[in-house]
Amino acid sequence: MHAPDDHAAPPRRILTPSTLNRLVRGLLEDALPLVWIEGELSNVARPASGHLYFTLKDSGAQVRCAMFRPKTTALRFKPADGMQVLLRARVGLYEPRGEFQLVAEHMEPAGEGALQRAFEQLKAKLDAEGLFDPARKRPLPRYARRIGVITSATGAAIRDVLSVLSRRWPLADVEVLPVPVQGREAPPAIVAMLRKASASARYDVLLVTRGGGSLEDLWAFNDEAVARAIHASAVPVVSAVGHEVDFSIADFVADLRAPTPSAAAELLVPDGQTMLRHLHQLQQRLATLQQRRLQALDQRADHLFARLQAQRPQARLARDRERLAHLRHRLLTVLRERQQHERAKLDRLHARLQARHPQQRLPLLQRRLAEQSQRLRQAIARQLERERYALQQAARTLHAVSPLATLERGYAILFDADGKVLRSAQGVEPGAALRARLADGELPLRVRED
């Protein structure tokens, strides 16, 4: 018999792959809670399930990632290969294949988070100073005669605004105040235009607007200097920046925020067609009231006449009848004149609306275009004539210093037999053949010994 071995090995704990992966997953999730990580997207895939699978990489490593459908529905952009993003994710392990992975809870374009924090900080600062106070916001004029639109002259926003304003209220005079709305040069340009428009006292209201875009695209309207220029404006300011879901610092400071440029145009002016219908309704009500008033007066006159007839004051009745007829005639005259005045006023308003219709302005604009074209052609002709004269002067100056002009004054140029110009008589032998160049041709010469 053998004595028991005091140093026998402890019993082995045998794991299955599933158990091992489960243990590793638990260790990772316990050791690393939610983390923020930034990198470049690659191998982005979105199957029919709605889940999002991708790889996050940098120059030295990569990691597989997954984002499940409840979280993908909150994404504000479409992830694509090559995009730089910022993730908030849980570190885990995909047990069936034993692969290390991140499960994303939130995703945003890299840099947008910093912009959002800067936005919130500036918003809190200006709010604390009272720039957003509803008590300081001014009402818009009911009938704006002149509107200044501060925006890009080539963007879609200005086309939408002009289209809505011309359709709803063509009586308004709209002036486009062009500025860049994106990039470094945009904030100072917007500030300068706001100050200039405010100081000019030309406008009843100002509209600051641009179309939609990313947070970076709209950042010019989150600038502190722009916000303070809006706050300092002497006239009401309407802000319509981006789409309905976009909010900017300019929106909070402005006297009124519109969700879109088109909506801003509708808020700035009344509807001309609605106004016309209202005027027609007022005219009809006036005519009805006048008719009822006349009927009431007729009834009262009949009643008084009956009373007078019952009392038989013949002389007084005759006088009162004449006075009543005179008053009735005056009343009808006044009512007719007032009705004609109101109808003429309505016709003038209708004519003004029709006169300002874009279709009526096309012939004037075409004439202006033809005049400008004629002026341009005349300016080009005058410029060509000046250039032709300058060319002739230069040609005369050049000819004056030309050797040919010197020959025309009686001088000649001598050439030796090799065609070289003779500049001195030294070295020329008697009997040598020479050529003399004159203004109208050449002469052969022979050197003679004196």
Side-chain angles (χ1 to χ4, degrees):
M1 295 182 63
H2 297 283
D5 188 0
D6 295 336
H7 301 286
R12 291 179 293 180
R13 181 185 178 189
I14 300 174
L15 303 176
T16 64
S18 297
T19 305
L20 177 61
N21 287 349
R22 192 159 46 250
L23 289 172
V24 173
R25 177 183 176 183
L27 291 173
L28 288 172
E29 292 178 349
D30 291 341
L32 294 172
L34 285 174
V35 296
W36 287 94
I37 182 169
E38 181 177 343
E40 179 184 342
L41 292 178
S42 65
N43 301 321
V44 178
R46 191 165 194 169
S49 63
H51 305 323
L52 188 65
Y53 300 99
F54 55 95
T55 299
L56 193 68
K57 66 179 183 178
D58 60 15
S59 59
Q62 64 181 20
V63 60
R64 290 184 179 273
C65 304
M67 190 175 196
F68 299 116
R69 183 172 184 176
K71 302 295 182 182
T72 60
T73 55
L75 287 175
R76 296 173 55 192
F77 68 103
K78 185 178 181 181
D81 289 352
M83 293 182 65
Q84 196 77 11
V85 297
L86 184 65
L87 294 183
R88 186 179 69 240
R90 291 183 289 104
V91 180
L93 190 80
Y94 182 57
E95 293 182 23
R97 290 200 296 267
E99 292 181 349
F100 168 72
Q101 70 172 8
L102 297 177
V103 179
E105 300 286 335
H106 171 78
M107 181 190 301
E108 66 187 40
E112 185 171 319
L115 290 179
Q116 188 65 37
R117 288 191 293 273
F119 174 91
E120 296 297 338
Q121 290 172 357
L122 180 58
K123 179 182 175 185
K125 174 184 175 181
L126 298 182
D127 191 14
E129 295 182 19
L131 269 68
F132 303 163
D133 187 2
R136 59 157 293 277
K137 296 184 183 296
R138 297 159 293 189
L140 303 184
R142 186 174 182 183
Y143 302 102
R145 292 176 298 174
R146 183 176 286 113
I147 302 170
V149 184
I150 301 176
T151 188
S152 170
T154 58
I158 188 59
R159 293 196 297 270
D160 294 341
V161 169
L162 294 178
S163 175
V164 173
L165 290 177
S166 64
R167 171 174 52 83
R168 285 177 61 86
W169 194 250
L171 294 177
D173 186 5
V174 184
E175 294 186 10
V176 180
L177 308 178
V179 294
V181 295
Q182 187 173 332
R184 291 184 178 179
E185 70 279 7
I190 296 172
V191 170
M193 188 61 74
L194 277 166
R195 291 173 177 170
K196 181 179 179 182
S198 175
S200 69
R202 284 176 51 82
Y203 308 101
D204 298 319
V205 64
L206 295 174
L207 171 60
V208 179
T209 186
R210 68 149 286 160
S214 65
L215 185 59
E216 291 88 348
D217 295 338
L218 306 180
W219 196 249
F221 298 90
N222 294 322
D223 185 84
E224 182 174 355
V226 172
R228 296 192 183 278
I230 292 175
H231 178 264
S233 173
V235 296
V237 178
V238 177
S239 175
V241 179
H243 298 305
E244 188 170 355
V245 297
D246 297 320
F247 282 87
S248 67
I249 297 296
D251 292 335
F252 293 107
V253 182
D255 297 286
L256 180 66
R257 183 253 177 185
T260 63
S262 298
E266 293 182 357
L267 293 172
L268 285 170
V269 296
D271 184 7
Q273 295 300 321
T274 302
M275 185 65 65
L276 279 177
R277 288 194 295 269
H278 181 62
L279 290 174
H280 284 302
Q281 292 172 359
L282 291 178
Q283 184 183 25
Q284 292 173 358
R285 286 178 59 189
L286 178 62
T288 302
L289 290 174
Q290 290 174 343
Q291 184 67 28
R292 290 176 182 175
R293 180 65 175 166
L294 288 174
Q295 291 174 356
L297 291 174
D298 283 342
Q299 290 178 357
R300 188 168 182 270
D302 291 340
H303 177 68
L304 292 174
F305 182 78
R307 287 180 61 187
L308 288 173
Q309 285 292 96
Q311 297 176 4
R312 297 183 180 275
Q314 298 299 329
R316 184 178 179 183
L317 180 62
R319 290 194 304 270
D320 288 343
R321 185 181 294 114
E322 290 177 359
R323 184 170 180 269
L324 176 63
H326 177 68
L327 292 174
R328 184 176 182 181
H329 176 72
R330 286 181 59 191
L331 177 63
L332 291 174
T333 301
V334 169
L335 290 176
R336 280 195 298 268
E337 290 176 351
R338 182 173 297 176
Q339 186 176 17
Q340 291 172 357
H341 175 73
E342 295 297 329
R343 183 179 293 110
K345 183 179 179 181
L346 180 62
D347 292 338
R348 288 196 301 272
L349 289 174
H350 184 267
R352 287 179 64 189
L353 282 174
Q354 292 297 325
R356 297 302 295 270
H357 194 278
Q359 187 65 34
Q360 302 296 330
R361 301 183 64 187
L362 283 178
L364 175 61
L365 294 176
Q366 289 173 347
R367 288 195 299 274
R368 289 181 179 177
L369 179 60
E371 292 172 0
Q372 294 295 333
S373 299
Q374 179 63 23
R375 291 176 60 187
L376 180 60
R377 287 193 294 269
Q378 293 174 354
I380 291 173
R382 289 193 296 270
Q383 182 64 27
L384 287 176
E385 184 61 28
R386 287 193 294 269
E387 295 294 337
R388 185 180 297 109
Y389 178 77
L391 182 60
Q392 291 173 353
Q393 289 294 105
R396 284 193 289 270
T397 301
L398 181 62
H399 180 71
V401 297
S402 173
L404 297 179
T406 303
L407 296 180
E408 290 177 353
R409 294 197 296 270
Y411 292 92
I413 302 173
L414 295 179
F415 298 90
D416 62 12
D418 298 328
K420 296 180 180 180
V421 176
L422 287 179
R423 304 183 186 276
S424 173
Q426 297 179 2
V428 179
E429 299 294 334
L434 302 179
R435 286 185 298 110
R437 174 72 178 273
L438 302 175
D440 57 350
E442 293 185 357
L443 292 175
L445 304 175
R446 179 74 64 181
V447 180
R448 187 176 62 185
E449 183 176 2
D450 292 337

